[in-house]
Amino acid sequence: MDEESDAAVIAASRHEPGAFGAIFDRHATALHRYVVRRIGPGEAEAVVGDVFRIAFEKRHGYDVTRPSARPWLYGIATNLVAKHRRREARRLHAMARLVARQGPASDHVDQVSAAVDAAAAWQRVAGAVAALPRPERDALVLHVWEGLAYDEVAVALAIPVGTVRSRLHRARGRLRALGSPGGEQQGESTDQGTGSPAPGRIGS
């Protein structure tokens, strides 16, 4: 038997609130990982709890024509992460120092470091990511770290797909200015709006 879509679960939860627990079961692990990557583990559990509390409270406004709630939940999480900008910057710089000392780790986030030639270059990239304007950083990390397609990033951030493209283009330009191989611009074909991204490459 096929699993119900997130949209169907959310629609059902409007009359049976307990049904919303399935949304937590499906997405809590990914959301926790995302928050840890951005601000570290210290407050991640509380932030994720707030994500699902807010989602539950706003479930009546969810667009049930969207089968997956994943972009919507990432959007809520991103708004909450915005309150921890300084913590995120420290997290990025700490990651850069760790990579410089130990080399790439197995966690998916560290695939970003594989897009540069050396640990020293990754330090510069991490610094540049930390320095990005928040709108560009949000688009970049959702696309690169979390593997959201352009249209999913657009849903998460409540912006047009064209704006997602513009933000990613500007972010990549800043990284290319550092001379990192991961910053090379690839083709911006129109089918990227719904196509699968190449997670782990800042220049993808």
Side-chain angles (χ1 to χ4, degrees):
M1 181 177 177
D2 292 338
E3 185 180 64
E4 281 189 306
S5 69
D6 289 343
V9 171
I10 292 171
S13 76
R14 293 169 180 172
H15 306 287
E16 301 177 21
F20 195 83
I23 301 300
F24 179 90
D25 293 341
R26 293 175 185 182
H27 299 289
T29 298
L31 266 294
H32 187 270
R33 181 194 62 218
Y34 171 64
V35 175
V36 168
R37 286 173 174 173
R38 294 201 66 170
I39 64 172
E43 297 185 41
E45 187 172 345
V47 170
V48 172
D50 284 342
V51 169
F52 286 97
R53 175 184 57 79
I54 292 169
F56 180 79
E57 292 172 352
K58 294 186 174 182
R59 70 192 188 283
H60 290 279
Y62 181 76
D63 182 356
V64 294
T65 66
R66 299 187 182 279
S68 174
R70 182 172 175 242
W72 178 58
L73 294 170
Y74 273 114
I76 297 171
T78 300
N79 287 336
L80 293 174
V81 164
K83 299 177 181 179
H84 301 271
R85 288 188 293 272
R86 292 181 181 177
R87 182 182 297 273
E88 182 180 15
R90 290 196 298 269
R91 172 77 171 169
L92 283 165
H93 288 299
M95 286 166 52
R97 290 193 296 270
L98 180 64
V99 171
R101 289 197 304 267
Q102 300 180 0
S106 59
D107 186 77
H108 178 69
V109 66
D110 291 310
Q111 291 181 22
V112 178
S113 67
V116 297
D117 284 333
W122 166 234
Q123 284 185 292
R124 297 201 311 274
V125 170
V129 171
L132 287 174
R134 187 173 66 84
E136 294 175 22
R137 189 192 311 170
D138 289 342
L140 187 71
V141 298
L142 286 170
H143 180 58
V144 174
W145 285 356
E146 300 306 312
L148 269 63
Y150 283 26
D151 60 329
E152 292 178 316
V153 175
V155 171
L157 301 181
I159 57 176
V161 172
T163 303
V164 173
R165 294 178 183 279
S166 296
R167 290 181 183 179
L168 290 172
H169 179 79
R170 289 194 298 269
R172 290 164 178 162
R174 296 175 196 274
L175 299 180
R176 282 203 309 276
L178 298 174
S180 69
E184 293 179 0
Q185 180 74 18
Q186 295 183 359
E188 292 283 332
S189 60
T190 56
D191 62 357
Q192 280 185 303
T194 55
S196 298
R201 287 187 56 81
I202 281 183
S204 61

